[in-house]
Amino acid sequence: MGDRTWQGHRGSYPGFSAQGATDLERGVTLVVVTNRYMPKHSPADVIWEQLAETYARAAS
C-alpha cells in the first residue's frame, strides 16, 4: 500500500478471517480479525487494505 513495505500474514477458518501486517520501516502493525468467512472476498482483507491505504496517506 502506497510506498510502504509490509510484512504480514492472512488466514481464515470457516466463521473467521484475519489479516495482519507490519510497516517494516516504522514498526507499525495493523491487525483486523472478523467473525465472518467469505472464501473469495475476505472481509478482513478488505478492511485491512482500506486501513493500510489510509495509514500510508497519513504517514507520508
Side-chain angles (χ1 to χ4, degrees):
M1 297 293 134
D3 63 348
R4 314 258 44 105
T5 300
W6 295 93
Q7 174 71 39
H9 176 73
R10 68 176 54 118
S12 60
Y13 188 81
F16 301 94
S17 64
Q19 165 76 21
T22 299
D23 173 349
L24 296 177
E25 182 179 331
R26 294 180 182 243
V28 173
T29 301
L30 301 176
V31 176
V32 175
V33 178
T34 68
N35 63 345
R36 186 168 182 186
Y37 173 72
M38 298 171 64
K40 293 185 180 181
H41 302 287
S42 167
D45 290 349
V46 173
I47 294 167
W48 187 90
E49 287 175 10
Q50 291 173 350
L51 286 171
E53 287 173 5
T54 301
Y55 165 76
R57 283 193 303 271
S60 297

